Amino acid sequence: MLIVCVCTMCMKTIIRVLVQVLHGILSWVRFSGLDGTIVDQTDQQLDSPEEECEDTRDDDGFELRHGSPFSYHAEESLGEACSSVPSGASIRSIIPSKAHPPPRMGEWLQIFSGWSHPERLMAINELIGLCEATQVRHMMQIIEPQFQRDFISLLPKELALYVLSFLDPRDLLRAAQTCKYWRILADDNLLWREKCKEAGIGYFSAMSNRVHRRSRNSTNAHTPTASNSDVPNTRWKAAFMKQHYVEMNWKRKDTRDHKVLKGHDDHVITCLQFSVNRIVSGSDDNTLKVWSATTGKCLRTLLGHTGGVWSSQMSGTTIVSGSTDRTLRVWNAETGHCLHTLYGHTSTVRCMHLHGKKVVSGSRDATLRMWDVEIGECLHVLVGHMAAVRCVQYNGHLVVSGAYDYMVRIWDPEREECLHQLSGHTNRVYSLQFDGIHVVSGSLDTSIRVWDVETGACKHTLMGHQSLTSGMELRDNLLVSGNADSTVKIWDISTGQCLLTLSGPNKHLSAVTCLQLINKFVITSSDDGTVKLWDIRTGEFVRNLVSLSSGGSGGVVWRIRASETKLVCAVGSRNGTEETKLLVLDFDTDVVKSEPSVKLEIVKTEIQLDYGI
């Protein structure tokens, strides 16, 4: 629609100019001779009442007079209608045409062509001033079609798609409503794949895969009919539309309608995992619970630990938990059976990271152990830290650990060798991020350090927080850190610069307990009993997703986990003011269920799509 509007405006402007040009020419011809001296004899005679011929009109309603140089549509009887004119009058009885042009027309056109641009405009303005309304209308009928060409349809398909690729998604949806051919082009699957790429909607993302599965199921279930057989492949468009509606739900959907999952009595929920539609919560009541994120029901309770559960990981149907009883347990999430109990640590298992079939655990006994979760055996023991291991990351090749001895270590687990000891922090290390190239560590000394994995060198020291960095998320070179000073900061680890600080009048009033990075948003939780949504691009506060009534008087949000469409919050209190429970907020939407339905959603989206990109 944007292109159509622009083309229409341009067309109207050009037509207006051309009409003014013709206006000037007609005015000039009427009031001056070709040499600028005397008015045409024909006009003088036609102005005489007694020599005036009868008016005629053509099929289009144009009023024609004898002798008018623009009487192109006069009827054949024009000569007979003027038979009463005296024989002495110099009136042309021949209908003007290229073969029989009006007298001296070629001569004054030649003069006109020799004038400068301003002179031509002046002459055309004068000419149009002499025209009657029907003659001006005739000009428009001649001129308008020249500017009503569908340039997109005239281009080869590849070029047309290249032109459309410069439109943003909102204008693409509007262009699709122009005509059938534009709809086919604007729905091109490769075109929307590029739009998904620009928006960060990957082919293997949960959102895209879910839409693709729905499209395939719909195709298999329904044979195309005459009404939808010509609907093009809109899988990428459906993924984009799905993403947009979900983002709008994150921003606007009423969050008061959420599921409440009650369990663990009044104990603290110490760890939380969320994958697809399965939630696993661990507590200091020695148990783990498996919940359905869809129904909110507790599917099973995992019993076996004899101490509080302080760490957990989940992948597929496998759950691994670590406890103060110094053991790890491997569970089947579907059956609730304990598959293995892993012995070896001599103190609380405080952290772990599961990758494939292997899990690396860190303990207060200052060691790390690598286990095979399928056979339940300890593969390697990593010794080197001098105090409790607080955080660990494992990417399948290297292990990175942070401890209370102020050190960060990089290990080769297969050789049980410490490759680098990263020293620089002056207090306990509480959080880590590892992407295979960089190690990012957060400490109680208020600093965040960025290390090079290959050399072990400290590339940047990020200063700005005032207290303990409790949690971090790393995406490419973008780092988001949450701190006990109640602020959240966004950093560029390639330059070491702080890009944004999520603060202002809507900032947290107490320590940030957890954070998640989802698409274009940062989600943060705090001891103040709130969960806040922020725009990662601008750092602007969007809204509160959760606000406990007991916030500020004891109500706490301990942990949060999020997917593209759901948010799970573990809440409670340390003084009994808030019941221990899980809150599940669903931002999913079912507007895109199949390819034909996307066709119906285009009109809705044209109205509702309000991008900030």
Side-chain angles (χ1 to χ4, degrees), residues 40 51 76 92 103 148 164 202 306 321 323-324 336 444 493 510 554 576:
D40 195 316
E51 295 179 348
E76 293 294 338
R92 289 169 51 83
Q148 293 178 341
L164 292 178
T306 57
S321 59
S323 168
T324 59
L444 187 59
I493 64 170
S510 189

Side-chain angles (χ1 to χ4, degrees), residues 41-304:
Q41 288 284 336
T42 303
D43 285 340
Q44 286 183 347
Q45 292 170 350
L46 287 177
D47 287 340
S48 175
E50 54 270 22
E51 295 179 348
E52 185 176 359
C53 68
E54 182 182 355
D55 291 342
T56 59
R57 295 181 181 270
D58 67 355
D59 293 338
D60 294 327
F62 289 112
E63 184 176 340
L64 304 176
R65 293 179 179 269
H66 295 291
S68 170
F70 291 95
S71 308
Y72 294 103
H73 299 284
E75 299 178 358
E76 293 294 338
S77 60
L78 182 61
E80 296 178 3
C82 298
S83 59
S84 60
V85 177
S87 59
S90 59
I91 296 179
R92 289 169 51 83
S93 59
I94 301 175
I95 298 177
S97 65
K98 289 185 178 181
H100 303 283
R104 306 173 69 185
M105 186 179 76
E107 189 175 345
W108 64 258
L109 287 177
Q110 185 176 4
I111 294 175
F112 176 80
S113 63
W115 285 345
S116 65
H117 177 68
E119 290 172 334
R120 290 185 181 186
L121 291 181
M122 180 179 178
I124 292 172
N125 285 337
E126 295 296 325
L127 181 61
I128 293 178
L130 297 178
C131 293
E132 299 177 2
T134 54
Q135 294 163 349
V136 173
R137 193 180 304 117
H138 174 72
M139 294 180 206
M140 292 185 66
Q141 290 178 341
I142 298 298
I143 295 171
E144 277 186 338
Q146 305 301 316
F147 300 98
Q148 293 178 341
R149 295 174 183 256
D150 182 357
F151 69 96
I152 289 292
S153 300
L154 294 176
L155 291 173
K157 183 178 180 180
E158 293 77 9
L159 288 179
L161 289 173
Y162 180 72
V163 171
L164 292 178
S165 70
F166 289 94
L167 297 180
D168 64 25
R170 173 167 46 187
D171 290 331
L172 264 182
L173 293 169
R174 289 172 172 170
Q177 301 178 61
T178 304
C179 63
K180 184 176 181 180
Y181 184 65
W182 280 42
R183 167 66 188 278
I184 294 173
L185 292 176
D187 280 352
D188 183 79
N189 201 39
L190 295 181
L191 183 62
W192 280 99
R193 184 178 69 177
E194 290 304 309
K195 297 304 174 185
C196 288
K197 182 179 178 181
E198 293 170 7
I201 305 174
Y203 186 85
F204 297 103
S205 70
M207 182 78 68
S208 183
N209 285 336
R210 184 161 58 253
V211 173
H212 284 218
R213 287 196 301 270
R214 287 178 176 178
S215 297
R216 288 196 298 269
N217 293 340
S218 174
T219 301
N220 295 335
H222 303 284
T223 302
T225 61
S227 60
N228 61 25
S229 59
D230 61 343
V231 176
N233 188 340
T234 53
R235 291 180 300 168
W236 281 105
K237 180 177 180 179
F240 190 97
M241 298 289 293
K242 176 78 171 180
Q243 179 78 11
H244 169 72
Y245 278 106
V246 170
E247 286 179 4
M248 290 301 103
N249 283 344
W250 277 98
K251 291 180 179 180
R252 300 173 182 172
K253 185 177 179 181
D254 187 357
T255 58
R256 291 173 297 181
D257 182 20
H258 56 254
K259 293 182 176 65
V260 178
L261 286 56
K262 295 183 179 181
H264 300 296
D265 298 324
D266 291 328
H267 290 269
V268 175
I269 296 177
T270 55
C271 51
L272 182 65
Q273 301 299 320
F274 174 41
S275 178
V276 190
N277 282 317
R278 186 181 289 115
I279 302 168
V280 177
S281 59
S283 171
D284 61 359
D285 67 357
N286 305 352
T287 69
L288 296 99
K289 290 183 179 291
V290 182
W291 311 80
S292 168
T294 304
T295 64
K297 294 182 178 180
C298 180
L299 303 178
R300 53 198 57 87
T301 299
L302 309 182
L303 301 173

